[in-house]
Amino acid sequence: MSKERIVVAYSGGLDTSVMVRWLIERKNAEVITFTGDLGHSRELKGVKEKAIHTGAVKAYVSDLKREFLEEYVFPALKAGALYEEAYVMATSLGRPLLAKGLVEIARKEGATMVAHGCTGKGNDQVRFEVSVAALAPDLQSIAPLREWEFKSREEEIAYAQKHGIPVSATIKNPYSIDENIWGTSVECGVLEDPMVEPPADAYQRTVAPELAPAKPEYVEIVFEQGIPVAVNGKQLDPVTLVQTLNEIGGAHGVGRLDLVENRLVGIKSREIYEAPAATILHFAHTELERLTLDKPVFHMKHQLAAEYANMVYNGLWFSPLRSALDAFVNETQRTVSGLVRVKLYRGRVDIAGRSSAHSLYNTKLATYTEEDTFDHQASKGFITIYGLPVKTYNQVNGSGVPLQTPSALIAEAEPVA
Ligand code: ARG
């Protein structure tokens, strides 16, 4: 009987290299590796050779950058989805796509299992396994890090050396880093103390705001139906566009975030994020929506953004709710086209101008000059009827006296003799 086949999500790092060997030994299986390139600064060139050298029978490497941006990142951008109102979810958005890649290779190679290198206390294990379950209910997910015997990096290194697996110099890095084109996530080491300010070396792709140029830089971004399509007058493909903004923003120290966040598994963790392009694009996109969206739609969309972010963060990318919310979001984006000018300066992104053919800003209505066409007289009747319920209530229950005396505040305000 032929051996069972396992497809492994492989980065080429220590954990996933040890995993390849360990699965071959323990599960008596054939291992096939899959490396999805979501946009790493690190060279992925030697990865295939390393996988084969480590014992894999086959190694796949796919460039998923464009698919990542078009199918995962931009929907979340259009939704305005920021986890806990801050995190652009570069890591969270990447996992479902990597899971999809694993499933595709598993189908092609007739594998019955897929494996990932996530730990047993993070969000990523959930994202991988729920995505695999959604896309291929019959495939089994294995998480060797949850079950293997190694208790430290040193033990893993010893195992790697025993089996002739090349251990690269990167193991000296004091942080755990996950990066892709949409952002970098950094944790562990001294960052585990939330009172410690991140040392300079915790940041990978942005300069410190205080070391950034003393001169601001203006950047113009064009959106078409919520999707960024041009920077500084140049039409760009999604990958080049995001790379360009990462470079410009990174040089101005834009997109750093130091966050204590609530994980799905119930713990609080502290992570440093760097996402220059994502920060600029979320900001600019929202500014364009302020100009082009109808008020109730803008407000409703803002509420749903938090739901959308929770869903993505919590591993439910492949869910009916996400499809339903995307339908709503896409409907709102029909008029979110136009130009946003932002100003980058020492870690800040500020609005410097916006315009759109769908702008709902009407100067004739907004102006305080003689150009004004707003019907001031109409306000009188509007206010009478609008204020009628509260007026009636107070006529019945008292005339404007607060129902509860804010005694604590009054006491506080009294001068102490
Ligand atoms: N906390 C982030 C998330 O759950 C990132 C997790 C991975 N971080 C890392 N440094 N390896 O999306």
Side-chain angles (χ1 to χ4, degrees):
M1 209 185 89
S2 63
K3 285 184 174 181
E4 281 209 89
R5 302 187 130 192
I6 308 177
V7 184
V8 171
Y10 184 71
S11 72
L14 180 66
D15 282 343
T16 55
S17 296
V18 167
M19 230 170 80
V20 168
R21 251 278 81 112
W22 187 88
L23 286 168
I24 295 167
E25 273 194 346
R26 291 306 158 88
K27 310 277 173 187
N28 187 31
E30 278 183 356
V31 165
I32 294 155
T33 62
F34 167 69
T35 308
D37 179 4
L38 302 183
H40 303 266
S41 56
R42 193 168 40 86
E43 199 49 77
L44 283 178
K45 248 189 208 136
V47 156
K48 234 179 198 164
E49 292 68 26
K50 190 170 177 189
I52 300 297
H53 181 83
T54 308
V57 294
K58 235 182 202 181
Y60 288 87
V61 178
S62 327
D63 179 354
L64 302 175
K65 291 193 285 286
R66 188 164 180 140
E67 184 178 357
F68 179 47
L69 291 175
E70 287 180 337
E71 307 293 332
Y72 297 76
V73 165
F74 289 167
L77 172 67
K78 288 191 278 185
L82 298 172
Y83 185 62
E84 298 190 333
E85 297 186 351
Y87 166 40
V88 300
M89 302 192 294
T91 297
S92 331
L93 287 162
R95 298 308 185 219
L97 174 54
L98 293 177
K100 178 170 163 265
L102 277 180
V103 167
E104 281 167 6
I105 305 295
R107 292 301 190 222
K108 192 166 162 213
E109 296 289 344
T112 51
M113 289 177 266
V114 294
H116 61 75
C118 309
T119 72
K121 65 191 288 189
N123 298 313
D124 287 329
Q125 53 176 345
V126 183
R127 297 169 184 149
F128 262 113
E129 292 174 37
V130 171
S131 298
V132 169
L135 297 171
D138 56 299
L139 276 185
Q140 194 196 328
S141 286
I142 334 178
L145 271 75
R146 289 200 299 246
E147 41 175 296
W148 69 24
E149 62 277 22
F150 313 117
K151 281 179 203 71
S152 65
R153 261 183 119 59
E154 288 65 37
E155 286 182 29
E156 282 184 55
I157 292 166
Y159 180 87
Q161 281 165 345
K162 195 174 111 200
H163 289 92
I165 300 167
V167 176
S168 71
T170 55
I171 59 160
K172 291 207 182 63
N173 196 311
Y175 307 108
S176 159
I177 300 171
D178 180 67
E179 61 165 1
N180 62 46
I181 192 168
W182 198 233
T184 302
S185 309
V186 188
E187 63 179 352
C188 299
V190 292
L191 301 174
E192 286 182 357
D193 181 349
M195 194 55 208
V196 167
E197 186 180 5
D201 74 350
Y203 293 102
Q204 317 292 314
R205 62 200 289 177
T206 54
V207 307
E210 58 267 34
L211 301 178
K215 213 174 134 235
E217 180 165 352
Y218 290 84
V219 180
E220 289 191 344
I221 302 157
V222 173
F223 289 87
E224 263 168 32
Q225 305 207 333
I227 290 170
V229 295
V231 170
N232 292 335
K234 233 202 241 148
Q235 199 90 14
L236 298 172
D237 67 89
V239 173
T240 311
L241 185 142
V242 171
Q243 279 167 345
T244 303
L245 289 177
N246 273 331
E247 273 159 39
I248 303 175
H252 286 276
V254 165
R256 289 184 170 195
L257 173 69
D258 176 344
L259 187 69
V260 171
E261 73 194 42
N262 291 294
R263 279 194 196 165
L264 177 57
V265 296
I267 56 179
K268 284 193 191 289
S269 64
R270 190 272 191 103
E271 189 125 23
I272 303 304
Y273 295 105
E274 287 177 288
T279 302
I280 295 168
L281 288 171
H282 267 285
F283 177 83
H285 177 261
T286 302
E287 290 302 317
L288 188 57
E289 288 190 330
R290 292 183 195 282
L291 190 69
T292 56
L293 289 188
D294 168 57
K295 173 167 137 180
V297 171
F298 183 77
H299 287 185
M300 176 58 74
K301 193 170 171 287
H302 199 76
Q303 290 177 33
L304 293 176
E307 284 297 324
Y308 197 105
N310 287 341
M311 201 175 50
V312 173
Y313 186 88
N314 294 334
L316 297 175
W317 180 263
F318 296 110
S319 66
L321 179 59
R322 206 260 308 166
S323 311
L325 288 183
D326 273 345
F328 169 81
V329 169
N330 283 333
E331 174 64 24
T332 67
Q333 298 300 291
R334 291 193 302 135
T335 59
V336 185
S337 303
L339 173 88
V340 181
R341 184 186 298 131
V342 296
K343 178 177 168 178
L344 311 181
Y345 180 64
R346 295 199 156 162
R348 286 186 61 94
V349 190
D350 286 304
I351 184 76
R354 59 298 242 182
S355 81
S356 166
H358 301 279
S359 172
L360 302 177
Y361 181 92
N362 185 328
T363 310
K364 288 215 161 79
L365 289 175
T367 185
Y368 284 94
T369 68
E370 67 215 343
E371 303 287 294
D372 188 7
T373 59
F374 186 85
D375 182 355
H376 292 233
Q377 296 314 311
S379 288
K380 190 166 185 278
F382 166 72
I383 295 165
T384 303
I385 292 170
Y386 176 72
L388 195 54
V390 285
K391 184 173 173 184
T392 307
Y393 180 92
N394 282 289
Q395 278 168 338
V396 172
N397 295 300
S399 53
V401 177
L403 291 177
Q404 279 173 322
T405 312
S407 47
L409 284 179
I410 288 170
E412 237 170 62
E414 256 159 10
V416 185

